[in-house]
Each structure stands twice: as structure tokens, then as C-alpha cells.
Amino acid sequence: MEEEYSKNIGIWKKLKTEFGRAPKLVLSVIGDSKCFVPRAWPKSVFQRALIEAGRSSGGDTWILYRNGDVGVSKVVCDAFSNYIKMGVKRENEPKIRLLGLKSSTRFDFNPTDTQENKSGEIYLPNELDLEEFILRQKARIHIYNKEDNPFDMPIPIAIILLEGDLDSIKYVKEATNKGIPVIIIKGSGKAADIILDYLESGSEERDFNLRKQAALLFGLKFRDSAFDKMERNIEELSKKRWMVATFDSEKDDPLLFPKLVGECVVRGWALENVDDDTNAIPQAFRYISPFEVYEHNECAMNEIKEKVSIQYKSENSYIKPIASSKRSPENNFSSKKMSFLLRSANNTIHWHPNFTSPACLPLDFFYVYQVLQENDEIKEFGHTLLLEALISNRCDYIKVLLDHGVTITSKDLRTLYEQTILCQNYKHEKYKDDIKKVVEECKCLEMMWLMKEINKEKTKACFEETTEDSKTSQAAQDICRQLLDYKKNTSQKENADQHTILDDILLWAIYANRPQIAEIMWLQGKNQLMKGLICYEMLRKLSEMADDVKEQILSKELFNHAEAMYKKTLDLLDTMYDTEPKTTIKMINKPVSVWGLYSSPLTFAYESFMYEFIAKPAGQKWLNRIWHNKLPPDLIPRLKYLPEKFRKVMWSPQMKFIFNYILFSTMLICYSGFVTTSVKTKFYERDFVKILEYYVYFWGLGDLLEELFSCTGWLDNDTDGKSIRSNRARFLRYLNNFWNWVDVLSYIFLVAALFVRHARPSEEFNAARRMFSLSLLVMYLRFLEAFLVYKRSGTTVIMIKEMLKDLLWFISLMIIVILGVGFYYHANLWPDHVEFWKGNWTQWRIWKIFYYPYWQLYGETFNDFFTGSENEDNNCSSNSTEWSTDPSVERCPEYDWTVLAVSAFYMLFANLLLVNLVIAMFSSTYERVTANAENLWRFERYTVVTTYRSRIPSPLNLICFVCRIRRRCRKASCCKIGQQCKQDKEKEFWESLQSTSAYKVCQQQPSK
């Protein structure tokens, strides 16, 4: 004992020398086991709670774990890895050290470096000796941080049990006997839940519950001696039950875990030597049974006892696994055998979610898992288990296998598509060997049909057998990009690691419409923000495609999946912004490559019309920085920077916007003066008037060039946030903006006016004047866009725009009605009128058809005209020879009483029904815009800010046109040297931020 104590002192001194000081808290996490029953439980909750306890200790925290690669050790290592990536960024924060304990005959400490924090491995014959030794040590602290008033206090230490086996129960019992407090993670399964169930049960039910729960939670065959030892250990542990605290991983808040640790340590100090002979049960224990269990009868237990006669030293050695089968190398299973084994046994019942609860385990899956685990082949053949779990939509198995580092292979991906998305006609014998024929002939309106409508050849490639491992993955990505109308990113290559495989599974889950699996893969991968937006847009478009073919159920399922993904993405953005606002603002405009689609989250959201995402504070904060060019937002403080930062002030989008509309106003004044005074030749000869006209032409040329650059993105200053899209996709996105249509219309009228003026000159220039006037009218309408920047006027302009859209739809409906009524009028007022298209285009009879019904909409009755009482005053003629030979002679209408009847009914229908209908449409639009005014205005503001980030006011852009092209070519040819290392660190931090925030979001709003 003295020798071991001295060796512990040696290790303790090495630890303090290596780390520079003693810890303020030691947490020893136990529970590693080779129990064969996997169980999914919220590990992210415990990971967050563990790190929060370390941060709240007031000094360094040492976390001891059993140095394994999977199970509990992996959970602890993942928590520490996230802390390294995120926590070390903060200054003056206590350090968390991770120390692995290894069983060995020697006493030693081997330090290793992990970025800024140091961790290491400790070699001990008996692991509990170190915890007991630390419990007796003292840490020197100073009152109120004064160096001259120190005192010593015991080092707080607690053991945390999650999962665990029979050795863990013995370990906990010995820890409580030595005075070390224990925290049991409820809901983690195995030994942890067995102990809690025993402590929470009454004295009469304990033995029954212990026998009932132990077999299923452990998945083991017990000997009587092993079960009796376990029962004695738990019974002895119950005498020290005040040393045990409970943390419910499914209900308790991780932020309260530090408080629980403190209370547990204090209770251990205060009641270390107190025994308890009562049967009282603390109220802190709460129990919810996690499993449906089997009851083993006494005969079965006696048979097991007679068959098993080998004695083992470990507590776990007194039991035998149900599927214990150590195999020789020549008897190893292949992947196909594993898959056949899974599918052969009772496939109808246990794999179907409707017949099984989420927690129950089928015996064949249970058996295969044990065989692989016992022979250390879970990573080699576990992909077959994961493939079957994905096909059968068993999320509990998927989580467990992923936690053990199991992934599917690229070859399994084709099987995944074939078994879940391929049309059911594949089951027919005639289609067995011809998948192409299945894709060609299948008419089932399911997910495969939607994929086939996007790209038939790529859909075939998803199901075809090939020697290329990545063909299925590439085909699925091509379908994704074609659906969203993006080009493939060839400059960035995705790493072919585990995350790429998980990304492929996520894409499959979108095509197969598996919401729960999609959420799991979304959490496991990287770039959750961008992936969430892409998944939402894909599901929304697929939902619209299903709705177009009247598949309402499928459309609704896809829509609900899309909305759930979109809500998680929005919550993720809010959580990230609350945690790291500066990093989030910078990250949302940095492009990433996902499935070959290259764009930034903010740009992709804008191109997909995601109003809520653009309106979030992170996006608006980024817009403010761009709008003011990182200068003060107020005008007067910003003008103070004008002498020293003249270029930065004048080059800000806000100043360019102001100067653009100042020059636009001068153009409108010149245009108005030119159109009203100098279209005729004798006025045009004046030099001053020529200046007005040519200024309009130069302004129009410069503005047209800026619109082309805005549409194609050729001369954008900021190329980092741009998406890789085809010119066709950019042009269609450009035309989706109402104000761009107004711009295009103004250019068309201006070019048409120039053509009429110079190609068809006349003395009066009436046609040119009309075209110039129409172009000027549209130019004035364009000026309304200047009010979009300001919130109060911007919402009004948006409302006018939306109501104008309603009016255009109403006009399209009214044209049909007007044509019907107009032709009725013409056929009965001017019967047998043959010369319909004779004469000048202004004299065509089609205008008569539109004229009377149109003006009746505004209350004009035309009763005198319809009755013929105005014929004498209209200078019309009833002589067919006159009006048929001379189109300028108007034909007199003939009286028909049915015209008056139809006119009365039409005015009733038009004024009471159609006019009130458009008023109701305007009211609905007003309510819709008012309810969503903030998001709509922020979205329009994004358009203005990003446009003027690269736009130069016309006609000043004509002066610096050559310089802009030269600078663009120079920027494209140069490369940034020395930035790659910094970008890699930023990228790693951003991925960690997204991952941890995504887990928080899913914890707050679990999937249904």
C-alpha cells in the first residue's frame, strides 16, 4: 500500500508539473463496456453538460476517461474535441484537461499536446486508486484573489456513470464506500438505468424489477453467482444512496449540470461517514422505463447454470453473451452473408416501423451486432447493418451505428437507391435485369418519377451497377444541381471522407423523403446552414412538381418536410448569431461547395426568394456594414471621415445610390425638356437642345451596361459570395424582379424611339414623340425604386408593386370578357361588316370592339349611341359603298334591342362583380403585405444594397469602364498567398459552430 501510495504521489507531481497547477474539479467518466445491446440516447446533452461543468469550476478541470475508441470514451472525446475548437477561442477561461486511464502493471504518465490544452495517458494497475488519492489531496486557493491569504480545500471529485456493465456497478459501489460521489446519467441504459431502477423501487419490488430489467438492458445470460454478486453490489450501494445523484439526459437542462455536480460533491463531503439503514428513497430519483423486457423463468436460469462452468476474474466474466461466437478467420462472414442473415429472419415484422416500437431490438439484428462486436469486426462489416437500417428507416439503429464509427460504402449507395426509390415494377421477373427499362416504362407518380422528370439519364445512373464507386453519388448530385439550376463547381474538390458519405446519405434521404434520417445526417455532417437551405429548396420544388400532377399526399409530405428543415435552419442561424455574432455575419456570405453547388448561404437564400432568412438580424447586420462601407451609419459622423477616407466614403453603396439618383433626376429633367420642346427639326437644330438629347442617350447607354453587368455579374467587385450559375439561370433570376422588368421596358421604348426618330424621319415626328413620351413615362415609374431603401416609403412601394401584379391578372381576365361583349356589340350594331382590317392600323375594327365595353367599366352607358339617336351628329354613313371603299368614313350603327339588354347585364356584371373582385384582391394583398412587410422590405433592401455594391452611377461608369475591366482581369489572374492556413482555421471553427448550434436547435425542437 505504501509503495502504491508513493507511486500515486509521483504521478500526481508529474501532473501538477506538466499542467502548472492542481485542478479545481476532477470528473471521472466511466461506463465503457462490451455489452452487446446498443441504445440511442441524447449524447449531445451530456456532452454539453460535461463541458459546462468544466467551465464553471473556477479553475482547471481534469476529465478522466478509460481511453477507449468507441462507446463512452468516444462521447467524452467528442465533447473535448468540440471544446478545443470552440472554447479555446475565449481569453482567460480555465482549461479543461482530458486524461486517459489505462490498466497496466506500471505507474506512469505520458503527456501529449492538443493545441492549447495538454492531455495525456495515465498507466495504473487499479484505476480507482487515483480517484481515491485525488480525493485526499488539497488545492490551495486564495480568498478574493489575494495572494497573501491562501487556504487549502479538498479537490472536488465526482464519478459520472453512463451506460456501464457489471464491473461499472462494482466500481460505483467501491467509489461510494471510499467517499467519492457518483452521478448517474439516467436514460443512458445498461448499468446506469439498472442501478436507478433498483434505488427507485420499493423493497418488495426490487428483486423482481432487477431480474426483469437486467436481462434486456444488458442482453446477457447470467449465472446465479453473477446475478447474486450484482444484486449484492447494488444492495450495498443503496446503503450509500445519498452519495448518488441523477441527471436525466432527456429532461434535465445541461446548464444545471454544474449545480448538480457541486451539490453532489458537497453532500459527499458532509455525509462521507454516515450510514443509512432506512429504506427511504430520495425524491431526486425519477424513473421512466426505457424498454419492454423479457422475463426469464427459473428453469432457463438453471439450464444456463448447468451448461456454463468456466470461472472468470472480471465481473463481466460471470456472464455469457447470447450470441457469443468467436470465429476463426476462415469462417468470417462476408457482407452479402450479413445482409442475407438480416433479411432472412422474420423480415415482415421487426423491420416495419408500424409493428415495432423505437426501443425494441429484433433478434436477428441483435445477433449479428453481437457477432461483429465480439469479433471486433463492427467497422469492417457494420456498413451492412447500417444499410439495412437506412432501408428500413430505423433511426435508433442508425444513431447507434454512427456513434460506433460505422458508415456505408460508395457501392452500398446504389443499393440504397435501388431498394427505396426504384419503382416497384422492378419486382416483376421481366424487369429483373433491366433497370433502364424500369425507369423508362414506370408511370408510378412517386419519387423516382420526379427524379426522372428532372433528368432521365442521371436517374438511370443512380440505379445502374457500375465499377465506378462514385457514379451513383455524382448522378444524384447532378440531379440536385439541375433541379436548382446551378452549374457544377469544378474549382473546389470535396474530400472523400466520412462526411462526404454522410452527405450522400442526406441527399438520398431528401429524394426518398425520410425526414428523421435527413435530420440525423444533417447533424452529423458539416455546413449545416447551407445544407439546410439547399434541402429546403429541393423539397419545396419537388413538392410543387408533385402538386402539378395532382399528387396531393406526396406534395403535402414533401412540403411539411421542407418547412421543418427550413425552420431548423432559421433557428440554427439565430442560435449561431446569439453565440458568435461576428463570426456568423462573416460566415453567411462565404461560399461553400455542397454537392457540387457553389454559393454562400446568403446569396443562395436571395436567389431562392427566402424572405425570412434574408430578414434575419445576421443578414441585415451584414447589409448595414456593406451599405455604409464599414463606416458610421449616421451621415454627419460619416462626413467627418471625408477628408482622410474620401475614397472609402464616396465608394460606399449608399453614396453611389445617392449620386445615381441625383444623376437620374438630372436625366429626367433633360429628357422632359427634350420631349416637350425639341422633337421637331427646327428646334432640334439648337445646340443646347442637342446637349439635352445626347445626355439622355449617354445616360441610357451607361445604365444599360450596368444592368447587363448586374444580370451577368461580369464586373462584380465581390466575387467571393457569387454562385456558380449559367447565364440562362442568371437571366431568369434577373427577370423575376419586377423592377428589372420596368428597367427592360424603359430600354425597349427608348431604343424604339431612337429607331423611329432616325430610321423614319418626318416633318412632325409624331411617332417618335409618342415613343419618347412613353419611354419617359416608364422612366418616371423607375424612379419609385429609389424609395425602397427607406422602410416607411419602401413598404408602400412594395404594396403598389404587388397590387399592380393583381391588376395585371385582373386585366388578363377582363380582356376575355371585353372581347366577348365587344364582338356581340359589333356583330349586331354593324352586321356583315367585311372590311375588318382595311386601312391604317389605327382604323382597324378591333379597336371598336374594345372601345365600348372597356369604357363601360367606368360607368359610361353609350345608350344614345346604341339606340342610333346620335347617328345624325356623328357624320357617319349608312351607304355601304362609301364606308367599304373609304376606311375614314364611319359606318352608322343599326338599332338592336338585344344590344341594350346585353349592355345592361354587362354593366351589372362588370361594375358590381368584377370591380368589387379587384377591390377584394387589393384588400387581400394589402393584408398579406402588411403582415409580412418587414421581411419583404428587407428582401428588397438586400437587392438594392448588393446591386450598388458594384454598380457605378451612369454616365460616370462610361469614364471608368476600361479601368474596371482591367481591374477585373487582374483580380481573376492573381492569387492570394499566405491566406490558406488562416482560411482553414476559420473554416474549422465555422464548422464546429454550426455543428454545436445544430445540436442545440434539434435538442430544443426534437423531430416528431
Side-chain angles (χ1 to χ4, degrees), residues 868-908:
S869 60
E870 293 184 354
N871 289 350
E872 298 178 358
D873 301 331
N874 288 339
N875 297 323
C876 60
S877 175
S878 299
N879 188 342
S880 61
T881 304
E882 293 180 1
W883 55 261
S884 61
T885 57
D886 187 2
S888 63
V889 178
E890 181 65 30
R891 179 185 178 184
C892 293
E894 298 179 8
Y895 173 74
D896 190 335
W897 67 270
T898 60
V899 172
L900 290 176
V902 171
S903 174
F905 177 78
Y906 168 68
M907 292 190 68
L908 178 68

Side-chain angles (χ1 to χ4, degrees), residues 692-712:
L692 296 181
E693 183 175 1
Y694 281 104
Y695 176 74
V696 174
Y697 295 160
F698 278 109
W699 182 94
L701 176 61
D703 196 65
L704 177 60
L705 289 175
E706 289 299 326
E707 287 297 323
L708 291 175
F709 298 153
S710 176
C711 176
T712 59

Side-chain angles (χ1 to χ4, degrees), residues 719-734:
T719 58
D720 291 339
K722 285 177 55 178
S723 303
I724 299 180
R725 307 193 75 180
S726 63
N727 291 330
R728 169 188 165 275
R730 291 184 181 277
F731 182 69
L732 292 177
R733 177 60 182 84
Y734 175 83

Side-chain angles (χ1 to χ4, degrees), residues 36 323 325 327 333 338 367-385:
F36 302 110
S325 59
R327 294 174 285 108
F333 283 171
M338 290 294 178
Y367 175 80
V368 174
Y369 188 91
Q370 291 183 67
V371 172
L372 296 179
Q373 180 80 346
E374 185 180 1
N375 292 275
D376 295 328
E377 295 176 345
I378 188 67
K379 289 187 177 181
E380 182 179 357
F381 297 112
H383 65 91
T384 304
L385 296 175

Side-chain angles (χ1 to χ4, degrees), residues 359-518:
C360 65
L361 290 171
L363 295 181
D364 53 347
F365 185 96
F366 185 69
Y367 175 80
V368 174
Y369 188 91
Q370 291 183 67
V371 172
L372 296 179
Q373 180 80 346
E374 185 180 1
N375 292 275
D376 295 328
E377 295 176 345
I378 188 67
K379 289 187 177 181
E380 182 179 357
F381 297 112
H383 65 91
T384 304
L385 296 175
L386 181 58
L387 176 62
E388 296 300 328
L390 289 169
I391 293 174
S392 304
N393 199 26
R394 297 310 302 265
C395 298
D396 44 359
Y397 306 153
I398 295 171
K399 291 179 182 179
V400 171
L401 292 170
L402 289 176
D403 288 341
H404 283 73
V406 178
T407 60
I408 65 172
T409 63
S410 299
K411 294 182 180 179
D412 293 331
L413 195 61
R414 190 202 67 83
T415 305
L416 195 59
Y417 276 88
E418 178 185 336
Q419 294 293 327
T420 56
I421 300 179
L422 189 63
C423 181
Q424 295 300 314
N425 290 337
Y426 176 66
K427 292 183 178 180
H428 296 301
E429 190 67 26
K430 62 178 181 178
Y431 296 125
K432 186 175 181 181
D433 298 323
D434 194 352
I435 295 180
K436 289 185 177 180
K437 193 173 182 180
V438 177
V439 179
E440 288 283 353
E441 298 184 4
C442 182
K443 304 299 181 182
C444 300
L445 298 180
E446 297 175 349
M447 294 305 301
M448 192 194 76
W449 184 88
L450 298 179
M451 295 174 63
K452 184 175 68 173
E453 288 297 303
I454 301 170
N455 192 314
K456 183 182 294 186
E457 296 301 321
K458 296 299 181 181
T459 302
K460 294 177 183 177
C462 289
F463 309 111
E464 291 177 353
E465 294 187 6
T466 178
T467 56
E468 300 179 12
D469 292 343
S470 61
K471 184 175 181 180
T472 301
S473 174
Q474 291 299 326
Q477 294 178 34
D478 291 340
I479 295 173
C480 167
R481 291 191 300 272
Q482 185 168 340
L483 174 64
L484 302 179
D485 207 354
Y486 280 78
K487 294 175 63 177
K488 183 177 181 180
N489 174 32
T490 56
S491 60
Q492 298 281 341
K493 293 184 178 180
E494 294 178 293
N495 296 325
D497 56 3
Q498 178 180 351
H499 291 283
T500 301
I501 298 298
L502 296 181
D503 291 345
D504 291 335
I505 300 176
L506 173 59
L507 189 57
W508 161 82
I510 297 300
Y511 291 136
N513 193 24
R514 304 283 183 91
Q516 293 83 5
I517 298 179

Side-chain angles (χ1 to χ4, degrees), residues 61-80:
T61 300
W62 293 0
I63 299 177
L64 310 180
Y65 77 109
R66 269 50 196 171
N67 213 32
D69 297 328
V70 295
V72 173
S73 295
K74 184 178 184 300
V75 173
V76 177
C77 290
D78 288 346
F80 182 72

